Amino acid sequence: MELQLKGGGPPVVPTNTVYSTVQQQDYSASVWLRRKEKKLEHSQQKCIVIFALVCCFAVLVALIFSAVDVWGEDEDGITEENCNKNCRIVLVENIPEDVTFSENGTAHLPLSVGLHGLLEMAFRSVEIVSPQWNLNSSVYDSSSQKSAGQGWALLQRLQGLKKKGISLKIASGMIDSAELKGLSRYSEVHYINMTALTKGFLHSSFWVVDRKHIYIGSATMDWRSLSTMKELGVIVYNCSCLALDLHRVFNLYWQLQYKDFIPSMWSKRLSALWNKEENLPLLFNNTKSDVFVSSSPDVFCPKDRTVDLDAISYVIQTAKRFIYISITDYLPLTIRKAHRYWSRIDGMLREALILRNIKVRLLISCREETHPLTFNFVWSMKTLCMELANCSMEAKFFNSRELRDGTLQGINHNRFMVTDSAVYIGNFDWVGNEFTFNAGAGMVISQAEGVGVRNSTLVEQVRVTFERDWYSRHTKNLQANKIPVCNKHQLNQMAHLKITTEPTESSRSEETPNGSL
Ligand SMILES: *[C@@H]1O[C@H](CO)[C@@H](O)[C@H](O)[C@H]1NC(C)=O
Ligand SMILES: *[C@@H]1O[C@H](CO)[C@@H](O)[C@H](O)[C@H]1NC(C)=O
Ligand SMILES: *[C@@H]1O[C@H](CO)[C@@H](O)[C@H](O)[C@H]1NC(C)=O
Ligand SMILES: *[C@@H]1O[C@H](CO)[C@@H](O)[C@H](O)[C@H]1NC(C)=O
Ligand SMILES: *[C@@H]1O[C@H](CO)[C@@H](O)[C@H](O)[C@H]1NC(C)=O
Ligand SMILES: *[C@@H]1O[C@H](CO)[C@@H](O)[C@H](O)[C@H]1NC(C)=O
Ligand SMILES: *[C@@H]1O[C@H](CO)[C@@H](O)[C@H](O)[C@H]1NC(C)=O
């Protein structure tokens, strides 16, 4: 009708009137028709509604049982079948200026160069999870200005991604970080309320770039990680298989935004692709390697994902000759309202020492926060070996340098373990709380001994790095009956300590199902 009117010759009567009359007629006609059909329609509607409800219910049931990920984004067509397994790996380190080593052959790619390189390579997406966001240090004196500049430069680079059309996604447990608030203008930030989920913290620290390259290690997005702290990690390039699996860990955090409960069932697209039973076979710089990603705590582990503790156990079990551990804190305690003995890792190491004669070296940081009981536990492990043939346990403390204002420089923030055949690089200190309540991720790389040229595989490189630190002038031997003074208030603290062996009411409910060996 409208067309007819418009299509007709030049209008002689005001179009408006004709148009509205026609409209009115049309309307009343339709009302009349509708009334007539109402009865018929009513029963039809009923049918449709019931049908729709049944459909909805069926879809819901299907969704629940198949755990299909309705919210999940696609994985860019990269699957475990077509992903790339021919990868490059580089060891990255941050060595503070005042930490020097006499040997010259062990310089690795500086962490800041590695991270900038990753951002340079980025083409579509950068996903970051970090326990800290403090790249723009506002509190540094002029002497450390140069080092603080590294953090500032990285922050600038991250802010510049948006302009280049690269999406930046950040998962974080910090609600009140001013830096993240500023960054949210340039990125998408998802907040995870770890207090509500596990009563812990988000300590995971890794990057996934373009679902192809990854970084994982001890460093966080803190300017100190790029300057005054000693950090170690790895960057893996062109490795979509590994990136795909680590991206799934990221995606799990991503979906927990503002949730105050942990889903009883995870989507299929979050389950692990590879694990300790089924490693991912890869080539790292043309060296055959077996790899898998681990995650914590166990309530954050969907089907098939190996928890960090089992990854650590795997590496300890597969060691044949030695286990070298470089860690900030080593403390077999769960510290909540009460101190409780937590034997998981301690037990594994004692077993390796006594039952399998594996040589163990522990390199622990000596710093302000070092728990005074660290010494007692380490010393007790050392005394186990006394007078035992072929039992070798050594421990050393890595010293930091105290500055005039009382802050410590050169803290060894490393979190790795290396054996004759494998490396574990994780996000945690080896303290009970971390594994029980906090979120973290890790990676295990196994490479057979003696493949390739000598000292050329990643496992060998990490071992050489450990030995460099071990024999350096920054370490102090563990001495009998002498607690190393890592902080001045330490001895006063000792008097107030009491360790419970019986689970207390609160810790019993917090205990994980596989709480003991
Ligand atoms: C360090 O390098 C110099 C020259 O390149 C060499 O003479 C020296 O022996 C090296 N030192 C060690 C401990 O390898
Ligand atoms: C760093 O913080 C200062 C103020 O403390 C601010 O002026 C500056 O813009 C910040 N830089 C970046 C890159 O956000
Ligand atoms: C996180 O969870 C805790 C405990 O449920 C709650 O008290 C707190 O308000 C939550 N924080 C945010 C920012 O939602
Ligand atoms: C990754 O692969 C691309 C294409 O195959 C290649 O051009 C690039 O150099 C590789 N990057 C690294 C770090 O190996
Ligand atoms: C210690 O190791 C040596 C060489 O590996 C072996 O011959 C010896 O039997 C071992 N001793 C004990 C008590 O296991
Ligand atoms: C792997 O290759 C890259 C570049 O070719 C090199 O920088 C890196 O050090 C190598 N990694 C190992 C573990 O040899
Ligand atoms: C391998 O590293 C060890 C130090 O752990 C060193 O003594 C040895 O000379 C290195 N071998 C080669 C071929 O570089």
Side-chain angles (χ1 to χ4, degrees), residues 357 388-390:
N357 289 336
L388 272 182
N390 296 351

Side-chain angles (χ1 to χ4, degrees), residues 84 86-88 90 121 212-213 236-238:
N84 189 22
N86 190 354
C87 320
R88 302 235 136 233
V90 176
M121 254 174 227
K212 241 170 145 182
H213 320 298
V236 183
Y237 304 98
N238 282 348

Side-chain angles (χ1 to χ4, degrees), residues 430-497:
W430 287 16
V431 178
N433 291 40
E434 291 264 54
F435 294 91
T436 318
F437 307 108
N438 299 343
M443 191 163 85
V444 172
I445 301 168
S446 306
Q447 292 172 321
E449 236 182 321
V451 290
V453 198
R454 269 202 292 162
N455 292 357
S456 69
T457 65
L458 183 91
V459 172
E460 282 162 347
Q461 280 184 18
V462 176
R463 190 207 72 228
V464 171
T465 307
F466 179 90
E467 285 171 346
R468 176 202 66 193
D469 293 353
W470 182 261
Y471 292 113
S472 76
R473 61 189 178 83
H474 303 284
T475 58
K476 210 161 39 180
N477 280 315
L478 178 71
Q479 286 174 302
N481 305 319
K482 192 161 173 284
I483 299 179
V485 180
C486 299
N487 72 64
K488 288 161 207 144
H489 320 291
Q490 188 169 64
L491 294 172
N492 308 338
Q493 277 178 328
M494 287 290 272
H496 308 295
L497 288 172

Side-chain angles (χ1 to χ4, degrees), residues 41 50 54 102 125 137 144 189 307 360 396 438 455 462:
E41 228 172 74
I50 289 172
V54 167
S102 51
S125 69
S137 141
S144 59
V189 180
V307 286
V360 174
K396 282 189 178 185
N438 299 343
N455 292 357
V462 176

Side-chain angles (χ1 to χ4, degrees), residues 357-396:
N357 289 336
I358 311 276
K359 174 174 157 185
V360 174
R361 279 179 175 174
L362 258 179
L363 183 58
I364 303 164
S365 297
C366 198
R367 60 193 185 122
E368 192 79 24
E369 295 85 0
T370 302
H371 198 284
L373 278 178
T374 303
F375 171 84
N376 302 44
F377 285 116
V378 172
W379 185 253
S380 91
M381 204 193 297
K382 192 170 165 63
T383 37
L384 258 189
C385 272
M386 240 172 234
E387 306 287 324
L388 272 182
N390 296 351
C391 186
S392 167
M393 152 72 198
E394 295 167 278
K396 282 189 178 185

Side-chain angles (χ1 to χ4, degrees), residues 310-462:
D310 289 340
I312 288 172
S313 164
Y314 175 92
V315 173
I316 292 177
Q317 298 297 327
T318 53
K320 292 193 182 61
R321 291 186 293 118
F322 64 86
I323 299 168
Y324 295 163
I325 296 160
S326 182
I327 206 81
T328 315
D329 286 316
Y330 179 84
L331 194 66
L333 284 180
T334 321
I335 304 171
R336 286 261 136 164
K337 281 173 209 132
H339 288 51
R340 217 181 131 231
Y341 181 50
W342 182 82
S343 63
R344 298 291 305 268
I345 295 179
D346 213 46
M348 291 179 212
L349 290 177
R350 282 163 199 258
E351 223 172 77
L353 273 170
I354 303 293
L355 303 180
R356 295 194 293 131
N357 289 336
I358 311 276
K359 174 174 157 185
V360 174
R361 279 179 175 174
L362 258 179
L363 183 58
I364 303 164
S365 297
C366 198
R367 60 193 185 122
E368 192 79 24
E369 295 85 0
T370 302
H371 198 284
L373 278 178
T374 303
F375 171 84
N376 302 44
F377 285 116
V378 172
W379 185 253
S380 91
M381 204 193 297
K382 192 170 165 63
T383 37
L384 258 189
C385 272
M386 240 172 234
E387 306 287 324
L388 272 182
N390 296 351
C391 186
S392 167
M393 152 72 198
E394 295 167 278
K396 282 189 178 185
F397 289 92
F398 196 95
N399 275 327
S400 336
R401 188 171 65 94
E402 193 168 341
L403 299 182
R404 230 174 283 144
D405 63 356
T407 59
L408 293 175
Q409 277 233 291
I411 291 170
N412 185 24
H413 197 238
N414 288 352
R415 280 136 176 200
F416 70 84
M417 160 166 62
V418 60
T419 71
D420 35 87
S421 58
V423 178
Y424 165 80
I425 291 177
N427 297 149
F428 283 158
D429 282 327
W430 287 16
V431 178
N433 291 40
E434 291 264 54
F435 294 91
T436 318
F437 307 108
N438 299 343
M443 191 163 85
V444 172
I445 301 168
S446 306
Q447 292 172 321
E449 236 182 321
V451 290
V453 198
R454 269 202 292 162
N455 292 357
S456 69
T457 65
L458 183 91
V459 172
E460 282 162 347
Q461 280 184 18
V462 176

